[in-house]
Amino acid sequence: LHRQAEQTCRQLVRTQEEHERLLQAAVEQAEGLEHNLRSAEAVLAERAAQLKDTQAQLSRNKLLIKDLREENRGFAVALQAAELKQKSTEEKNQLLEEQASALKQLIGKITPASLSG
């Protein structure tokens, strides 16, 4: 009976040692998982910060595009006004050239008549 008690005691010690090894392995595995989780959280936080920065830059770019569109509209109106003014000036020049030509012809007709008269 004493021998059987010793065997049972040794068996219990081996079982307890095995349980302690398993527990230690589980603790180490949990620590590894916790480390991996912290690493993943750090990466996610960094990516979130990058996305926030990118979103802020995108918002600034949208405002710049809006400003450029408004400025382009102003330029288009100014260009249209300049084109209309140029067309009006060209028409006035054409009229002046026609008047100058008519005056030259008139002077050409008047001058010989007054010289001969």
Side-chain angles (χ1 to χ4, degrees), residues 4 7 9 17-18 35 37 42 51 53 60 72 75 88 91 100 107:
Q4 192 177 15
Q7 285 179 343
C9 187
E17 289 173 349
E18 180 63 23
H35 174 74
L37 178 61
L51 286 173
D53 290 345
R60 288 190 296 270
N72 281 347
F75 286 145
S88 172
E91 289 172 353
I107 290 172

Side-chain angles (χ1 to χ4, degrees), residues 3-4 19 21 24 37 42 45 53 58 74 76 78-79 84-86 89 99 104 109-110 113-114:
R3 219 180 303 139
Q4 192 177 15
H19 285 179
R21 279 194 297 274
Q24 183 62 33
L37 178 61
D53 290 345
L58 183 60
L79 178 61
L84 288 173
K85 189 172 182 178
Q86 180 181 0
T89 302
Q99 289 175 349
K104 283 181 188 176
K109 289 180 183 176
I110 292 174
S114 63

